[in-house]
Amino acid sequence: MTAIPLPAKLQSTELRTHVSVRETVSQSLTMAFRALLRLRRTPEQWFDVVLQPIIFTPMFAFIFGGAIAGGVEAYLPMLIPGILVQTVVTTSIVTGTTLREDMEKGVFDRFRTMPIARIAPLAGALLTDSIRYAIATALTFLMGWIVGWRPEGGWALLLAALLVIFTAWALSWVWALLGVLARTAGAVQGIGLMILFPLTFLSNAYVPIDTLPEWLGVFAEWNPISHLVTATRELANAGTVGTEFWVTLAGAAVIVAVFAPLTVRAYMRKA
Amino acid sequence: MSDTKSEWAIEADGLVKTFGSNRAVDGVDLRVKPGTVYGVLGPNGAGKTTTISMLATLLRPDGGSARIFGHDVVHEQHVIRQLIGVTGQYASVDEKISGIENLIVFGRLLGLSHKAAKRKGEELLEAFDLADAAKRPVDKYSGGMRRRLDLASSLIAQPPLIFLDEPTTGLDPRTRGQMWDVIRGLVTSGSTVLLTTQYLDEADQLASRIAVIDRGHVVAEGTADDLKGLVGTASLLLRLADPEQTEAAVTSIHQVLGSTATVTPEAARLTAPMSDPERVTDLLIRLREQGIRLTEMSVQKPTLDEVFLTITGHGASTDDAEASDDAKEKVSA
Ligand SMILES: Nc1ncnc2c1ncn2[C@@H]1O[C@H](COP(=O)(O)OP(=O)(O)OP(=O)(O)O)[C@@H](O)[C@H]1O
Ligand SMILES: [Mg+2]
């Protein structure tokens, strides 16, 4: 170790009392950049968003296609939006688990002693996750195309993708709150799956609701996941912006309105 | 130094932090002069990390107040964070990414452009002998390398005050020596350093003033010489051939050296503070006259344990369970 190049300044620059919005944005982007750097060393973290669409999309198409719709081709307009919603929504739990893990790491202590916006690590995490959702969405559409899905929504396909990504992003606030409050990442994962597994399967994602027993049909009818699935189907397959689209969008907005302040408050208390 | 409202780099008054019923830090006062190394010396569980955490805005004090260069640690957190660099006791770098990537991320967060952050990072890695490992992920670093990267990360912003929590614990002697050089270099370049350590020797080597803390209290404060004066410059270690003679030996030590020996009964071992080496000759003659035979004799430099024993009346035990009131009484006694 040689001489440290350190003419220590006693603040040549002005001392600041707060972080500007521009700095906050730039710091959040840096946090997302860090997540991408981590991804290079731990690609297994992204297996869910990459492998799930690649493996499950054709698998479900070939297994259920004949039974449910009388053929793979006929099943695809129903399946692809359904499996897209399930994949992306389920992967939103990762926001909570990684946040929990991150907050326990030593590096988080360093962030807390740096003159940065305290919200930056959280914002960075939410930003990174949107990238994950976009990857899962693109891959699901691609796999659908490969097995023969030919959606007629045109430009609305993009809107469908955005709707799913936005809803998952809204949900990630819920998991982020859980991540801040829970003791372990495993707990976040467990609780998240316990909620989402029934929600995604007891919906119209894979089967038409009229094939369900009546009580289950009622549940599936009301299930918010069904609304998202229907909205996505309408957009992707026909290019229609229907009621379901607005219902879903409003629902997601309500989630953000409720959980974002809660999460930020809980997070600021701990961070 | 226009914004330096205070003549002190750190002023802490009666800092308190409690965890449940445990008063981890119980009324700590500190005064640290700019441009110096200040050592905080104490055994496990003494409250060193907790004290640093409060000064570095990681924990909110439950009582008392502290200012860094005149800025309050509770009300001016954002300002404080621009003035300090913190190297915690446990590595605070991202293990999954490489050394240079860590420094780039921290540099970017501090407002440097990507290019400037990279340049600064490379410069620091070079200075800390880590240039060869720049591209390796940190979880493949050795303990010493991690420690150095951690310290390098704290220096990106060239903060005027640097906290180092046990910077050399777990390092081999050579690496420890290098770390000492780095710390001296920081001060030469004008920084102020507050470091914690469990080794009196280390505080002695580096710090111009030392606070000894135990169970959340500052039990002694002064220069290294002041502290050593309290315990004698060194201590004499004797092992007796016949444990039965222990008492007689203690009496002789008291009469000749004027100090009270500590006894380790199982080993028939005595340790006595010794300020004047000349007197040892007298003691050895006296012991021979009394027919007390020795199997071993050596001279030890003062250890933290002796500083503690002398100051608090109990050893540098790591047992935090005992009530801290207990310690308070002993200090004032
Ligand atoms: N987050 C916490 N929750 C509960 N107790 C804590 C917490 N942090 C520290 N303590 C307790 O506070 C006391 C002081 O701990 P601290 O870590 O400050 O000691 P230290 O001097 O740094 O010790 P070491 O040399 O082992 O690092 C200990 O009794 C410890 O158990
Ligand atoms: Mg400690």
Side-chain angles (χ1 to χ4, degrees), chain B residues 11-29:
Chain B
E11 286 172 276
D13 294 302
L15 279 182
V16 174
K17 184 76 205 176
T18 50
F19 296 109
S21 63
N22 175 12
R23 294 178 80 83
V25 172
D26 195 2
V28 164
D29 299 325

Side-chain angles (χ1 to χ4, degrees), chain B residues 19 22 24 43-50 89 166 198 320:
Chain B
F19 296 109
N22 175 12
N44 288 136
K48 302 183 295 292
T49 301
T50 309
Q89 186 168 2
E166 300 195 20
Q198 304 189 23
D320 341 314

Side-chain angles (χ1 to χ4, degrees), chain B residues 7-317:
Chain B
E7 59 175 314
W8 300 108
I10 303 175
E11 286 172 276
D13 294 302
L15 279 182
V16 174
K17 184 76 205 176
T18 50
F19 296 109
S21 63
N22 175 12
R23 294 178 80 83
V25 172
D26 195 2
V28 164
D29 299 325
L30 291 174
R31 288 285 180 280
V32 178
K33 264 214 193 99
T36 62
V37 178
Y38 193 92
V40 173
L41 184 65
N44 288 136
K48 302 183 295 292
T49 301
T50 309
T51 304
I52 286 199
S53 300
M54 287 189 282
L55 295 173
T57 74
L58 282 167
L59 278 180
R60 199 190 170 89
D62 293 326
S65 64
R67 284 160 304 286
I68 305 284
F69 295 109
H71 297 277
D72 189 272
V73 295
V74 175
H75 300 110
E76 297 175 85
Q77 292 194 338
H78 193 69
V79 172
I80 303 286
R81 289 174 186 160
Q82 293 162 69
L83 294 169
I84 61 172
V86 185
T87 300
Q89 186 168 2
Y90 307 103
S92 42
V93 287
D94 194 324
E95 311 247 298
K96 292 285 179 232
I97 63 179
S98 70
I100 187 70
E101 286 166 349
N102 265 289
L103 294 174
I104 292 174
V105 167
F106 299 139
R108 294 281 292 129
L109 286 174
L110 289 166
L112 299 179
S113 68
H114 189 91
K115 220 166 126 195
K118 183 148 185 265
R119 197 172 337 110
K120 184 86 205 171
E122 281 165 351
E123 205 177 288
L124 283 166
L125 289 176
E126 188 68 45
F128 281 89
D129 246 4
L130 288 169
D132 293 339
K135 299 213 167 89
R136 235 183 289 159
V138 176
D139 54 12
K140 303 273 189 309
Y141 279 27
S142 74
M145 291 162 77
R146 243 176 253 213
R147 219 82 192 85
R148 268 146 42 203
L149 178 65
D150 212 342
L151 180 51
S153 310
S154 309
L155 302 181
I156 298 170
Q158 303 177 3
L161 174 63
I162 298 150
F163 291 105
L164 302 174
D165 196 358
E166 300 195 20
T168 65
T169 301
L171 299 189
D172 66 37
R174 193 180 128 258
T175 321
R176 168 172 302 185
Q178 290 178 338
M179 191 58 95
W180 286 357
D181 291 341
V182 171
I183 295 167
R184 290 191 188 104
L186 289 174
V187 176
T188 312
S189 69
S191 294
T192 309
V193 174
L194 181 124
L195 71 90
T196 72
T197 176
Q198 304 189 23
Y199 312 111
L200 179 59
D201 179 39
E202 180 162 295
D204 189 11
Q205 289 278 335
L206 296 171
S208 50
R209 287 191 83 82
I210 300 167
V212 182
I213 76 168
D214 179 38
R215 298 177 183 177
H217 299 272
V218 176
V219 291
E221 207 267 354
T223 63
D225 285 340
D226 293 343
L227 292 182
K228 280 189 282 183
L230 290 174
V231 287
T233 46
S235 56
L236 182 67
L237 191 141
L238 303 174
R239 197 190 296 274
L240 305 184
D242 180 3
E244 299 283 310
Q245 295 174 317
T246 306
E247 212 163 301
V250 170
T251 314
S252 304
I253 290 170
H254 192 72
Q255 285 164 355
V256 180
L257 297 184
S259 59
T260 313
T262 13
V263 185
T264 320
E266 329 72 78
R269 221 174 63 153
L270 298 172
T271 317
M274 170 189 91
S275 37
D276 181 3
E278 286 280 300
R279 307 286 282 278
V280 175
T281 324
D282 297 342
L283 177 67
L284 293 178
I285 293 169
R286 168 73 74 90
L287 292 177
R288 164 157 304 168
E289 282 168 6
Q290 292 185 317
I292 298 173
R293 282 186 38 242
L294 302 175
T295 56
E296 191 186 324
M297 190 213 91
S298 58
V299 175
Q300 269 186 347
K301 284 187 162 174
T303 63
L304 175 58
D305 212 49
E306 280 147 336
V307 176
F308 267 81
L309 196 64
T310 312
I311 298 170
T312 67
H314 68 83
S317 80

